[in-house]
Amino acid sequence: MTTQSRSPSGYATWRLIAEELRREIVGGARAAGAKLPPEGELAERFGVHRNTVRQAVAALAAEHLVVSRRGSGTYVAEHTVLVHRIGARTRLSDSLGSRGNASRRLLASAVEPEPPAEVTERLALGGGAGLRLETVVSVDGLPISRGTHWFAADRVPGLAERFDATGSITAALRTVGIDDYIRAATTVSARHASAAEAADLSLTAGSVVLVTRSLDTLTDGTPLQLGITRFVAARVELDVGHPDLDLDGSA
Amino acid sequence: MTTQSRSPSGYATWRLIAEELRREIVGGARAAGAKLPPEGELAERFGVHRNTVRQAVAALAAEHLVVSRRGSGTYVAEHTVLVHRIGARTRLSDSLGSRGNASRRLLASAVEPEPPAEVTERLALGGGAGLRLETVVSVDGLPISRGTHWFAADRVPGLAERFDATGSITAALRTVGIDDYIRAATTVSARHASAAEAADLSLTAGSVVLVTRSLDTLTDGTPLQLGITRFVAARVELDVGHPDLDLDGSA
DNA sequence: TCAAGTTGTCCAGCTATCTAGACAACTTGA
DNA sequence: TCAAGTTGTCTAGATAGCTGGACAACTTGA
C-alpha cells in the first residue's frame, strides 16, 4: 500500500502521470529521440505500480508523442508545435505555409437568419442574416484547429461553395471581391475541450484547447469576419509578436 | 444500467459534467444570478444518478462559480473574468488597475549562476548570473497568475527587495534606474497545471493554465526581462488587441 | 551466444466511484 | 397554512478501474 491519496478528485492517477510526462516533453525537458526512463523507474518515481505508468505511456503513445519499442525502451517521438503568428495581417494559411500537407476542410455551413447577439452586434448585421462556416484545419492528417466563422450573408455571396473549392478563406473572399482585410481584435482564452470539439479534433475528452475570438475588418473599418477558433493546445502555440515590428504583415 | 461508457479514460464522470457546466457558465450561456436546472433534471440530461450531478455541482461550488441554496436551487455566482491586454506597453498592473484588492506577492527569489540555456540566450547573459523572481498575483484574494521572471542579475541590483516592498515590477525597476521598457515578444500556449502550479494558484489538479512567454527590452533594444506567466484560464482572458491601434500604450 | 534490461500480456483482488433509494431540511408560491 | 419543489444527508450494493505480481517476448551489448 503506497498510502498515496490516489485521485483525490476526478482524475485517474495514470492521467495525472501522463500530463506530467507530457509537460516534460513539450516543455523541452525531453528532446525528440530521447529515451524515457524505464517503466519501473517511473513507477518508483511516481509511487505507483508499473501498470499505472504503462497506462499513462500508452495514452501518450496514442497521440504519437512517444513510441514504445519492446525490449528496447520508450522514446520521445518527433513532434512539432505549430507556431501561429497573430498580427494585423493574420492569416492562418501563412503559419501553415512552410508545413507539409496542410488541409482546411469545411465541416458545415449555414445561413442563420438570427445569429447570436454577439455576432449581430460585432458584425453590425442590423437584422440581416449571418453566414456560418465550420472548419477544421489539419497538418499531416492531424487536426490542429476547429473554427467557427461568421460573415454577413449578403456581403459574401457563395462564400461557402468557394471556400469548399479552394480550402482557403482568403482565396474564397477574393472571389467575392474582397482582396484585403485586417485583424482588428483578438482575445485568447483556454479551457477543456467539449466532447464535440474533442471528437472533431481527434482528442481525448479533457484535452486543452486554446480559444481565440477575433474580428477582421475591411481596410475601411467595415466588420467582415467574426471568428472563434479552437486550437489544440498540445500542438499549437500563438505568437503575439511585437506590435511595433508588425506593421508590414507577414511572409 | 445506463450503458453509458462512463469515463472511457481517466476522467471521473462527475468531473466531465462539471467541466461541461463550467463551459456553459463562463461561455455566457448562463448569466450570473441565473438558476441552474434542478439536480434531477441535470441527472436525466447527462444520464447519470443525481448523486453524480451533485458531486459535479459541489466542485463548481468549491470554486465559487455557483452557489447552492437548500430548498431553492443552485445559482450562478458573480464571477468576473480579468481581461489582460497584451501590447507594446504591457503592464499587468494596468489590467489590474480598475480591480479591487489586487496584490502581487513574491514567493521566492534567487540569483542563479547558471540559468537555463533559453534564459542565458534570450537575455544575452553571456555567462553572467540570472536573477529569478517567483510571483503570484491575486485579485480579491483569488490567485490569478503565477509568474517566473528572469533578469540579468548585475543589471538590476536589489530588485528582489525592491519588488517585495513595492509589489510592482515596474516600480521596482524604477528604483534601479529603469524607467521604461517595451514588450518585444510574447507567445501564448495552454496546458494542464502541474501539481505545484495548482497548489500555488489554489486550483484542483488538472485545471487549465494559459502560459505566456514574454521578452521585455529597454528602449534601446537591450533585453531586460524574460517572463513566464501562468494565468488561471478560468479567470483570465488575454486581449491581443490590434497592433496598429496599440502604439500609444495603455490607460 | 548469452545475460541483463526492457516492454507486452495476463489474471486476480481491492477500492473508489457510481448507482439506487429513502427521507430530512428548507424555500417558495398559491 | 400547506403543497410542491428543491437541496442536503445517509446507507447499501454493484462494478469499472486501479493495483500488484509473475512471466513471456524482444532488444541490446558484451
Side-chain angles (χ1 to χ4, degrees):
Chain A
M1 222 239 289
T2 51
T3 309
Q4 72 137 16
S5 59
R6 208 184 302 278
S7 45
S9 52
Y11 291 87
T13 37
W14 66 261
R15 182 156 279 287
L16 294 176
I17 293 171
E19 295 302 341
E20 174 72 28
L21 292 175
R22 186 213 306 287
R23 274 190 296 276
E24 295 180 8
I25 294 171
V26 307
R30 299 183 186 281
K35 186 182 171 188
L36 255 57
E39 294 167 352
E41 202 171 301
L42 288 175
E44 195 173 2
R45 166 180 159 197
F46 290 114
V48 300
H49 192 264
R50 185 170 75 99
N51 279 351
T52 309
V53 167
R54 281 185 59 69
Q55 208 159 356
V57 172
L60 297 180
E63 26 180 320
H64 306 112
L65 202 59
V66 300
V67 176
S68 292
R69 277 197 280 277
R70 166 185 282 204
S72 175
T74 300
Y75 302 83
V76 176
E78 292 298 333
H79 61 284
T80 50
V81 175
L82 176 70
V83 178
H84 179 214
R85 194 143 189 346
I86 295 184
R89 285 294 194 286
T90 288
R91 311 287 189 259
L92 181 49
S93 31
D94 290 334
S95 302
L96 296 171
S98 51
R99 300 300 166 140
N101 296 342
S103 75
R104 194 154 195 167
R105 196 159 59 85
L106 184 63
L107 285 187
S109 70
V111 173
E112 307 274 359
E114 293 193 9
E118 185 199 358
V119 176
T120 302
E121 186 185 335
R122 298 190 66 185
L123 281 184
L125 293 182
L131 171 65
R132 198 186 83 241
L133 303 187
E134 303 286 347
T135 65
V136 169
V137 173
S138 302
V139 173
D140 294 330
L142 240 59
I144 288 296
S145 72
R146 172 76 180 71
T148 300
H149 311 266
W150 288 93
F151 299 86
D154 54 6
R155 278 179 226 152
V156 291
L159 185 70
E161 295 70 26
R162 263 30 196 68
F163 174 83
D164 211 10
T166 61
S168 157
I169 285 188
T170 309
L173 284 171
R174 220 169 268 138
T175 68
V176 296
I178 296 173
D179 292 324
D180 193 18
Y181 59 94
I182 291 177
R183 174 66 58 97
T186 308
T187 63
V188 182
S189 57
R191 55 173 171 76
H192 285 104
S194 71
E197 289 163 352
D200 288 339
L201 294 168
S202 317
L203 299 174
T204 58
S207 299
V208 177
V209 288
L210 260 173
V211 184
T212 64
R213 296 182 158 257
S214 58
L215 181 68
D216 292 308
T217 65
L218 300 180
T219 46
D220 67 359
T222 311
L224 170 65
Q225 175 187 195
L226 180 62
I228 298 150
T229 309
R230 284 133 294 182
F231 294 93
V232 178
R235 305 201 268 263
V236 181
E237 182 176 304
L238 303 179
D239 180 359
V240 173
H242 180 182
D244 287 346
L245 300 177
D246 193 59
L247 297 177
D248 56 1
S250 46
Chain B
M1 223 240 289
T2 52
T3 310
Q4 73 137 12
S5 56
R6 207 184 304 278
S7 48
S9 53
Y11 292 87
T13 38
W14 67 261
R15 182 155 280 288
L16 293 175
I17 292 171
E19 295 302 341
E20 174 73 27
L21 292 175
R22 186 212 306 286
R23 274 191 295 276
E24 295 180 9
I25 293 171
V26 308
R30 299 184 187 281
K35 186 182 169 189
L36 256 57
E39 294 167 352
E41 202 171 299
L42 289 174
E44 195 173 3
R45 167 179 158 197
F46 291 114
V48 300
H49 192 264
R50 187 182 142 229
N51 283 349
T52 308
V53 167
R54 280 185 60 70
Q55 206 160 356
V57 172
L60 297 179
E63 27 181 319
H64 307 111
L65 201 59
V66 300
V67 175
S68 292
R69 277 198 280 277
R70 168 185 282 206
S72 175
T74 300
Y75 301 83
V76 176
E78 293 297 332
H79 61 285
T80 50
V81 176
L82 176 71
V83 178
H84 179 214
R85 194 143 191 343
I86 295 184
R89 284 294 194 287
T90 288
R91 307 300 186 249
L92 182 49
S93 31
D94 290 334
S95 302
L96 296 171
S98 51
R99 300 300 168 139
N101 296 341
S103 76
R104 194 155 196 169
R105 196 161 59 86
L106 184 63
L107 284 188
S109 70
V111 173
E112 308 273 1
E114 293 192 10
E118 185 199 359
V119 175
T120 301
E121 187 184 336
R122 297 189 67 187
L123 280 185
L125 293 183
L131 171 67
R132 196 184 84 241
L133 303 187
E134 302 286 347
T135 65
V136 169
V137 173
S138 302
V139 173
D140 294 331
L142 242 59
I144 287 296
S145 72
R146 172 75 180 70
T148 300
H149 311 267
W150 288 92
F151 299 86
D154 54 6
R155 278 179 227 152
V156 291
L159 186 71
E161 294 70 27
R162 264 31 196 66
F163 173 82
D164 211 10
T166 61
S168 157
I169 285 188
T170 308
L173 284 171
R174 221 168 268 138
T175 69
V176 296
I178 296 173
D179 292 324
D180 194 17
Y181 58 94
I182 292 177
R183 175 65 57 96
T186 307
T187 63
V188 183
S189 58
R191 55 173 172 75
H192 286 103
S194 71
E197 290 163 351
D200 288 338
L201 294 169
S202 316
L203 299 174
T204 59
S207 299
V208 177
V209 289
L210 261 172
V211 184
T212 63
R213 299 186 155 253
S214 57
L215 181 68
D216 292 309
T217 66
L218 300 180
T219 47
D220 67 359
T222 311
L224 170 66
Q225 176 188 193
L226 180 62
I228 298 151
T229 308
R230 284 133 292 183
F231 294 94
V232 179
R235 306 202 266 263
V236 180
E237 183 176 304
L238 303 178
D239 181 358
V240 174
H242 180 181
D244 285 349
L245 299 178
D246 194 58
L247 297 180
D248 56 1
S250 47

